[in-house]
Amino acid sequence: MTDPRLETVRDYFRRVDAKDPTLLDLFTEDVAFFFPKFGLTRGKAAMARFAERIGQEAATLTHDIDGFVFTADANRVVVEGREWGVTATGRAWPGTSSGGRFASVFEFDGPLICRMFIYVDPDFTGEDTRRVALYQGA
């Protein structure tokens, strides 16, 4: 039997990639949301602000949905995956260090997502060369 939460998570990423305005229908009104450099926030309005801001940076965004690795337990689903895209200035990404890897944690209240925390390097194009050199020992 397929876990319906996994299909909701897949649907979330399909809607993100398509810039589908119904994306927020998947969430509770008071959803808790985290993204590096954006911070921790609550509510659909805050998620809409984040979507607007990330849309200023990423002209296109694609997730390898078929390659996702899922871990599910109780009301939580964690997905590991890869993403790529093109910035608003025309630069293709991911940068070389992250390989476009990310992990997202979803928690559910019934069929709706009530918490989503995204763990990704927001330096999509690898422009933070100082830190890359520091961590890679270059």
Side-chain angles (χ1 to χ4, degrees):
M1 178 189 228
T2 303
D3 186 332
R5 297 170 307 163
L6 301 186
E7 187 52 36
T8 299
V9 170
R10 287 185 188 99
D11 191 28
Y12 163 81
F13 286 104
R14 283 191 288 269
R15 292 184 194 198
V16 166
D17 292 354
K19 297 184 179 181
D20 185 331
T22 67
L23 173 69
L24 294 178
D25 294 348
L26 299 172
F27 295 89
T28 61
E29 289 299 323
D30 64 344
V31 60
F33 178 76
F34 171 81
F35 185 89
K37 306 289 188 218
F38 185 74
L40 177 60
T41 190
R42 248 187 206 288
K44 286 184 178 182
M47 288 192 73
R49 282 192 306 278
F50 170 75
E52 179 183 315
R53 291 176 187 170
I54 195 107
Q56 293 172 3
E57 168 115 24
T60 64
L61 178 60
T62 304
H63 293 88
D64 179 17
I65 296 169
D66 291 336
F68 283 173
V69 175
F70 293 99
T71 304
D73 187 25
N75 69 332
R76 184 175 294 158
V77 173
V78 178
V79 60
E80 295 176 83
R82 291 191 63 242
E83 61 186 2
W84 58 88
V86 176
T87 67
T89 60
R91 288 193 65 186
W93 56 277
T96 57
S97 63
S98 75
R101 290 173 187 83
F102 72 91
S104 293
V105 180
F106 297 83
E107 288 184 12
F108 287 81
D109 181 3
L112 297 177
I113 301 164
C114 63
R115 178 182 179 269
M116 181 183 176
F117 281 33
I118 301 171
Y119 300 98
V120 65
D121 182 353
D123 178 24
F124 299 125
T125 58
E127 294 176 42
D128 187 1
T129 56
R130 183 186 68 79
R131 285 188 186 89
V132 170
L134 173 70
Y135 295 132
Q136 292 183 355

